[in-house]
Amino acid sequence: MLNPFSWIKRASHRRWFYLLILVVVGLGLGVGLPNTSSAFGSCGLDGDAGIEIIQLITISDQQEVELGKCLNQQEVDQGLEIYRDRKITEYVQDIGQRLIPYSDRPNFPYTFQVVKDNTINAFALVGGFVYVHTGLLKGVENEAELAAVIAHEIAHITSKHSIEKLRQIIKDNNFTEIEYGTIINLLEDIAFSLPRGRQQEYEADRKGLEMLHGAGYASSGMTGFLQKLITIEKKSTNQPAMLRTHPETVKRLDTLKEIINRKGWDPNDGDGLDSAAYKQRIQSLAIE
């Protein structure tokens, strides 16, 4: 049975991963870090255990891209297996590039990669890195559904949702100084336990839908995929963790249908609904 949006949990290898994200917090929140420039360049942290919160600033695009590269390499080093089939990778990249001009950050550099994993999953990291599982490629019905998921992940990046959530938690707790370990534990909770903000998910859905339509895909790609998740949820006795950290799928689906109706779009008007053509494009996955 398909297991939608299951996260690969590698607890024993996360320490350096979270140290890397801590640099993002430091830059995005204005945290005073000792030796920040050298730490940034080496993708690690050195110095005192205490971090003083100084001011809130916005991370630059260049800093975000460089951090994304470090995070991507760290994930690969920790066991994230990138799928190396050239045709499949280029196919996913082509879909991503088709969507980008209709995003909020069309000039931002994005990197689209396929992860060899049979769970239905897609995720994004800072710096424009979008990851699509082979299980998602096999699980969607057509290209429009795949494009819808990719558009949703792009929207999380364009909206800087991870940095926004970190900033809000630190603000709510009135931190003036915080230890590395506390930040690491906080980030672990954000990544794997705490639900995403309802408004963040709805925003990613809305912006993703607008990207999908702007790029010429049928908007039913997004509603069709959410309907597929609802069906899987009903059949599953153990709801996947990723679904537990998202707003109720039925409500997300209803909201998207309302947007489509309000805009007067024909949900089936557009590209990407030919299931046979899609299956042909991912044929190399099916025979593995």
Side-chain angles (χ1 to χ4, degrees), residues 32-104:
L33 291 175
N35 303 321
T36 301
S37 60
S38 61
F40 179 88
S42 62
C43 298
L45 290 174
D46 299 309
D48 299 334
I51 304 173
E52 184 180 356
I53 309 301
I54 300 177
Q55 60 182 345
L56 297 176
I57 61 174
T58 301
I59 187 172
S60 71
D61 285 355
Q62 182 179 357
Q63 288 171 328
E64 185 177 347
V65 170
E66 290 304 313
L67 288 169
K69 291 178 181 178
C70 291
L71 287 168
N72 172 73
Q73 186 58 55
Q74 189 66 40
E75 281 293 276
V76 172
D77 291 344
Q78 291 175 173
L80 187 70
E81 186 175 358
I82 303 300
Y83 189 66
R84 299 300 180 184
D85 184 285
R86 182 178 58 82
K87 290 183 179 179
I88 295 295
T89 300
E90 289 181 353
Y91 181 44
V92 170
Q93 290 172 343
D94 288 345
I95 294 173
Q97 292 300 326
R98 178 172 171 175
L99 293 164
I100 288 171
Y102 304 94
S103 74
D104 289 347

Side-chain angles (χ1 to χ4, degrees), residues 198-262:
R198 182 180 300 272
Q199 293 308 313
Q200 287 188 346
E201 284 302 324
Y202 287 153
E203 182 179 26
D205 283 344
R206 176 181 59 78
K207 290 184 176 182
L209 181 65
E210 291 172 353
M211 266 185 267
L212 194 70
H213 179 77
Y217 284 109
S219 56
S220 61
M222 185 166 284
T223 55
F225 181 72
L226 288 180
Q227 185 62 60
K228 185 185 300 294
L229 288 185
I230 292 171
T231 301
I232 294 172
E233 285 180 87
K234 289 179 178 178
K235 293 180 179 179
S236 176
T237 57
N238 183 21
Q239 189 184 52
M242 182 60 84
L243 282 176
R244 291 197 299 269
T245 60
H246 281 65
E248 185 179 349
T249 311
V250 172
K251 292 182 179 179
R252 293 173 62 194
L253 177 60
D254 289 343
T255 299
L256 288 171
K257 286 181 176 179
E258 289 176 6
I259 294 173
I260 292 170
N261 290 335
R262 186 169 66 248

Side-chain angles (χ1 to χ4, degrees), residues 134-239:
T134 52
L136 176 68
L137 291 165
K138 295 175 184 178
V140 298
E141 188 66 27
N142 51 51
E143 184 175 315
E145 289 187 4
L146 176 59
V149 178
I150 294 173
H152 179 94
E153 298 305 328
I154 292 174
H156 278 307
I157 294 171
T158 63
S159 301
K160 298 187 177 182
H161 282 156
S162 294
I163 296 172
E164 178 183 292
K165 190 171 183 69
L166 289 167
R167 180 184 294 116
Q168 188 61 52
I169 291 175
I170 289 178
K171 179 181 178 181
D172 290 345
N173 286 275
N174 297 315
F175 288 126
T176 57
E177 185 174 275
I178 189 166
E179 294 182 350
Y180 288 163
T182 304
I183 286 281
I184 292 169
N185 291 334
L186 177 61
L187 290 170
E188 183 174 10
D189 288 341
I190 292 171
F192 299 103
S193 301
L194 298 178
R196 285 186 180 271
R198 182 180 300 272
Q199 293 308 313
Q200 287 188 346
E201 284 302 324
Y202 287 153
E203 182 179 26
D205 283 344
R206 176 181 59 78
K207 290 184 176 182
L209 181 65
E210 291 172 353
M211 266 185 267
L212 194 70
H213 179 77
Y217 284 109
S219 56
S220 61
M222 185 166 284
T223 55
F225 181 72
L226 288 180
Q227 185 62 60
K228 185 185 300 294
L229 288 185
I230 292 171
T231 301
I232 294 172
E233 285 180 87
K234 289 179 178 178
K235 293 180 179 179
S236 176
T237 57
N238 183 21
Q239 189 184 52

